[in-house]
Amino acid sequence: MAIPIVVGTNVVVAALRSSGGAARQVIRGCLKGAYEPLFGPALLAEYEYAAASKGPTEWTDLLEALASVGRWVNVYYLWRPNLRDEADNHLVELAVAGGGAAIVTHNIRDLKSGELLFPPLRVLTPAAFLREYPCPL
C-alpha cells in the first residue's frame, strides 16, 4: 500500500532541476506507486503558479502524471497550526485531512514552527524521507 505524503512545491521544482537528487527519487516513488501524493486546492494552486513561471511543458507533464497517481483531499476544517509563514498552513491541513505520513519539503524550519502539533505527521527533507521510507520499487 502506498504511503500518503504531501510533496512541497520546492521538492517538485528540485526534481525538475536535478536528474539524480533525492527530490527526483521521491517523485519517481510517487509515479511508481510507493508513495501517494495528496492534493488539495491550495497546493494545486501553488504548483500551477510555479509552473507558470518555470515553463509549462515539463511542469504540465509532471503534474498530470502526479495527479494520475495522487489523491484529492477535501479539507473540511481549518486547523491553523500558526506557522511562521501563513502560506504553509495549508500543507499541514492537507496532510492531516488526508492521513499523510509526512510532508516532504526543503522548508523544514518553517513547517516545524507551529503552535498546533500533530505528532504522527513527519516533516522531512526528501533525503530524510527516503531514509525513513525507502522506495521498494
Side-chain angles (χ1 to χ4, degrees):
M1 183 160 157
I3 299 167
I5 62 173
V6 173
V7 181
T9 305
N10 55 31
V11 173
V12 178
V13 170
L16 286 171
R17 288 185 180 162
S18 172
S19 63
R24 176 74 64 105
Q25 290 176 358
V26 169
I27 299 301
R28 282 188 185 132
C30 290
L31 297 175
K32 290 181 177 184
Y35 315 122
E36 178 185 42
L38 303 175
F39 290 94
L43 183 59
L44 186 58
E46 262 187 30
Y47 285 170
E48 289 173 342
Y49 180 79
S53 65
K54 302 291 182 199
T57 304
E58 284 182 317
W59 268 91
T60 302
D61 293 346
L62 180 57
L63 293 182
E64 286 177 2
L66 281 175
S68 73
V69 296
R71 176 169 42 104
W72 187 264
V73 175
N74 292 312
V75 178
Y76 293 105
Y77 50 85
L78 296 176
W79 288 344
R80 303 273 63 170
N82 291 329
L83 298 176
R84 189 180 337 222
D85 182 356
E86 170 63 28
D88 290 333
N89 282 320
H90 74 94
L91 296 172
V92 175
E93 293 170 346
L94 178 61
V96 170
I103 298 173
V104 184
T105 182
H106 291 291
N107 188 14
I108 300 296
R109 187 180 63 181
D110 285 349
L111 283 167
K112 287 190 172 184
S113 69
E115 295 173 6
L116 186 58
L117 302 176
F118 300 92
L121 178 63
R122 309 293 308 275
V123 179
L124 302 166
T125 64
F129 175 77
L130 291 170
R131 281 192 299 275
E132 292 201 27
Y133 302 96
C135 182
L137 305 174

